[in-house]
Amino acid sequence: MKKSLKVASIGRECVACGCCAAVCPRGAIQIPYGIIARLDEEKCVGCGKCAKTCPAAVITLVERREAL
Amino acid sequence: MRKDMPCCRDYTCRKEGGSVKKKRWSDYLWIVELLYLFLGLFNILFAWLGMLFFTIPLLIAVFGGGKAYCNRYCGRGQLLGLLGGRWKLSRNAPPPKFLRSPWFRYGFLTFFMVMFGLMLYSTYAVFTGAPLKETVTLLWVFKLPWQWPEVGMVAPWFAQFAFGFFGVMLTSTVLGIVTMLLFRPRSWCVYCPMGTMTQGICRLKHRKEAASYGRTSQKDSGASETSGQ
Ligand code: SF4
Ligand code: SF4
Ligand code: SF4
């Protein structure tokens, strides 16, 4: 699959509420041990749904670093 | 629609192995939350059931289930999500900075615990002989006289706790709904005392992981270092 140009980036102030994981169509976000949300960049397609729902507004879309 | 948003265009993501979410029984727990608020109006003693919403998340966090309560089983979170999301009652704006700051989160938790302590104290006072106050306090100030007490069959302190506890639940629901309307659907989750406590427990329990997850943004962690499981 072609890589998206954007990818989500999750900030430290995440409250681990799980809203982002619930809306992500690719299941790219997990909250291991209930600590903080973690992103699987391979799965992320940069749709930005997570960033729009995050109540703590800690998710931003950034340019994907490497052009794989 | 921009080219770099495939999953919003034609569900490409789903075709290529993305998950189509099936409804689970736990997706209907918002009904429990509604039922709880309704039962509390019907008879204040049902307020005691709310202790489940306090103990279950803590037990899950303590016994290694992480934030599964917030992520899957919280009826309040689901209700706010439905009202703000599906019913589109939310303004859907990011909450202001102060509301998202750790100061506010932990400050609110402290405030909440103090109010909870005061409530326990008034329960104790009734236990030792003070008269029962048949009011539910909303937002810590407004006293709602309750029309349907019917608490004759139990000890006064038992009823007093129910009144106090229902006040706590009602207050947090009102705050949750107000921030849902003003900001994002689940803005309450940012400063929800249960959420703060459970995350705190998880952080303490998994200090090592928490320290390494601190480096979470794309800039300072390897792109391949991903889900951490
Ligand atoms: S940008 Fe889209 S695909 Fe990527 S994590 Fe967020 S919701 Fe999932
Ligand atoms: S929605 Fe935001 S605060 Fe909630 S788990 Fe995801 S990144 Fe963290
Ligand atoms: S933060 Fe509070 S309201 Fe939100 S899901 Fe967790 S327990 Fe429920």
Side-chain angles (χ1 to χ4, degrees), chain A residues 10 13-21 29 31 37 50 53-59:
Chain A
I10 305 172
E13 279 83 40
C14 163
V15 298
C17 62
C19 304
C20 51
I29 302 180
I31 306 178
C50 52
T53 36
C54 176
V58 296
I59 307 185

Side-chain angles (χ1 to χ4, degrees), chain A residues 8 24-26 28-29 39 44-50 61:
Chain A
C24 177
R26 294 297 311 269
I29 302 180
L39 176 76
C44 176
V45 289
C47 66
K49 286 190 183 177
C50 52
L61 283 188

Side-chain angles (χ1 to χ4, degrees), chain B residues 14-216:
Chain B
R14 291 188 181 179
K15 285 175 209 151
E16 300 195 21
S19 54
V20 180
K21 291 196 175 76
K22 274 206 212 102
K23 286 267 182 199
R24 284 171 302 197
W25 65 270
S26 55
D27 291 331
Y28 296 97
L29 285 170
W30 56 272
I31 299 173
V32 176
E33 174 76 17
L34 267 186
L35 205 65
Y36 173 75
L37 293 172
F38 180 76
L39 284 177
L41 297 180
F42 175 68
N43 187 319
I44 194 74
L45 295 180
F46 281 111
W48 272 89
L49 285 178
M51 284 306 280
L52 292 176
F53 304 147
F54 264 59
T55 45
I56 292 174
L58 293 178
L59 288 178
I60 291 180
V62 168
F63 292 106
K67 294 251 299 178
Y69 184 79
C70 290
N71 302 167
R72 226 166 298 145
Y73 306 115
C74 179
R76 165 167 314 189
Q78 288 174 9
L79 189 62
L80 292 173
L82 275 180
L83 291 175
R86 177 137 0 130
W87 288 33
K88 303 209 185 322
L89 293 178
S90 172
R91 211 163 57 97
N92 230 337
K97 250 208 156 78
F98 83 89
L99 204 147
R100 297 186 264 129
S101 71
W103 282 106
F104 189 78
R105 278 188 89 196
Y106 291 104
F108 190 77
L109 174 65
T110 315
F111 175 66
F112 203 83
M113 293 315 276
V114 169
M115 297 318 278
F116 197 79
L118 286 178
M119 194 235 346
L120 287 182
Y121 178 75
S122 62
T123 304
Y124 175 74
V126 171
F127 182 69
T128 51
L132 173 66
K133 293 190 218 69
E134 291 184 351
T135 49
V136 167
T137 313
L138 188 63
L139 292 166
W140 302 286
V141 190
F142 306 107
K143 303 230 183 285
L144 312 177
W146 224 238
Q147 301 295 328
W148 314 273
E150 290 175 44
V151 291
M153 67 284 216
V154 295
W157 68 267
F158 194 86
Q160 181 64 58
F161 182 86
F163 279 108
F165 198 68
F166 201 65
V168 169
M169 296 305 276
L170 215 56
T171 300
S172 51
T173 307
V174 167
L175 284 179
I177 289 177
V178 169
T179 40
M180 178 273 288
L181 294 173
L182 289 177
F183 312 117
R184 286 192 170 151
R186 280 177 59 171
S187 301
W188 161 256
C189 294
V190 176
Y191 61 99
C192 166
M194 292 319 295
T196 310
M197 272 195 276
T198 48
Q199 195 184 22
I201 293 171
C202 291
R203 285 216 162 124
L204 282 177
K205 271 195 65 158
H206 302 280
R207 255 160 284 169
K208 253 211 313 267
E209 289 87 352
S212 69
Y213 293 173
R215 311 172 282 113
T216 186

Side-chain angles (χ1 to χ4, degrees), chain A:
Chain A
M1 183 195 164
K2 203 176 137 275
K3 283 267 162 135
S4 60
L5 300 173
K6 300 269 186 184
V7 68
S9 167
I10 305 172
R12 281 159 201 253
E13 279 83 40
C14 163
V15 298
C17 62
C19 304
C20 51
V23 295
C24 177
R26 294 297 311 269
I29 302 180
Q30 292 200 317
I31 306 178
Y33 309 114
I35 298 169
I36 202 171
R38 306 272 292 164
L39 176 76
D40 184 340
E41 295 189 2
E42 294 298 308
K43 288 188 186 164
C44 176
V45 289
C47 66
K49 286 190 183 177
C50 52
K52 278 201 204 104
T53 36
C54 176
V58 296
I59 307 185
T60 46
L61 283 188
V62 298
E63 298 291 328
R64 199 179 269 279
R65 242 184 333 174
E66 81 281 46
L68 286 172

